[in-house]
Amino acid sequence: MADDLQQAQFPAEGLSSRLLPSMKSRARFISGHKGIPGNEAADEAAKNAHLLRYRTLTPSCYEEIKNLTNTAFETKWKTVWLRSIQLTGKGRHLLKIRDNTGQWPWSAHKNRNSETVLARLRVGHTVLRSHLYRFSIVEDSYCSCGAEESIDHIFSSCPYYAAERTTMKNSLTPLNVPFCLKNLLGGGLFLKPTQKQIVKIVANYLTSIRKIKTI
C-alpha cells in the first residue's frame, strides 16, 4: 500500500523503477525561488523595467532582417499582383489556380514540352479554340464533340478523353488528391512530393490525349 501511494505521488519515480530495476531513484521536492532574496530582487527589477519611459533597442541579426525584408517584399508583391488583376482583368485564370506569389517549385518538369504546356494551362494562354476565338483567330470556340473547347473541358468533360481521364483519376486516388482543375494544375495544398506526382500524372494525361504539343 505504501509503495502504491508513493508511485501515485511520484509517478516518474515509479516509472523509472519499472524501466530500470537495477537502478535506484528517489524523488525530492525542490522549492521554487520564492523567498530567496536574490531571485526576489531579480523579479522586482524585471517588473520595474516595464515602467521605464525609454527602451533599449537591441540590434537585429542578419537573418532576422533578411526574413523581415523578404516577408515585406512578398506581401507587397502579392498586393500589387492582386490589384493589377482587379484593374486589368489579366491573370484571372491563374488566380483561380493559386492566390499567392510564393515559390512554386513543382511547376518545373524535366520534359520541356510538358513544362511549357503546363505553364500555358496555368495562365490560360493556350491554343485551345475557346482562347483563340477571343482573338478572332478561329471561327468558333467549339470542340469536335460540340462543347466549348476550354481548359476545364479537356480535363473534366470531353467524352473523347473519357478513358484517359479515368486513368488519370485512378492515378490520383492513392495520393488522396480530389479531382479538380485547381489541384491538377498545382494549386492544391499538398506537400512537394505529392505535387511532383500530380505534375507527372497530368503530363501523362496530356500525352495520352495528344495535347502535350498542341496546347
Side-chain angles (χ1 to χ4, degrees), residues 111-126:
N111 184 285
R112 178 63 178 172
N113 288 331
S114 298
E115 184 175 357
T116 300
V117 71
L118 287 169
R120 288 177 177 174
L121 289 168
R122 290 174 182 130
V123 299
H125 292 177
T126 68

Side-chain angles (χ1 to χ4, degrees), residues 122-177:
R122 290 174 182 130
V123 299
H125 292 177
T126 68
V127 292
L128 295 175
R129 297 187 69 85
S130 61
H131 185 71
L132 297 179
Y133 182 68
R134 291 173 51 195
F135 302 98
S136 302
I137 298 175
V138 294
E139 295 181 356
D140 61 69
S141 61
Y142 300 112
C143 173
S144 53
C145 72
E148 184 175 87
E149 189 185 51
S150 64
I151 295 173
D152 188 63
H153 173 69
I154 65 169
F155 277 103
S156 305
S157 59
C158 184
Y160 291 153
Y161 312 134
E164 293 85 354
R165 187 177 302 112
T166 299
T167 300
M168 177 171 57
K169 289 181 178 179
N170 291 339
S171 299
L172 292 170
T173 299
L175 302 177
N176 294 319
V177 176

Side-chain angles (χ1 to χ4, degrees), residues 5 44 51 73 83 107 154 161-162 168:
L5 179 60
E44 188 66 23
L51 303 177
F73 273 116
R83 181 61 175 167
S107 62
I154 65 169
Y161 312 134
M168 177 171 57

Side-chain angles (χ1 to χ4, degrees), residues 45-62:
K47 294 176 182 178
N48 292 335
H50 291 286
L51 303 177
L52 297 176
R53 295 182 179 180
Y54 60 88
R55 293 183 181 181
T56 301
L57 298 179
T58 304
S60 299
C61 65
Y62 169 78

Side-chain angles (χ1 to χ4, degrees), residues 9-22:
Q9 292 177 334
F10 307 108
E13 181 179 349
L15 179 61
S16 63
S17 298
R18 291 194 298 272
L19 294 177
L20 300 170
S22 61

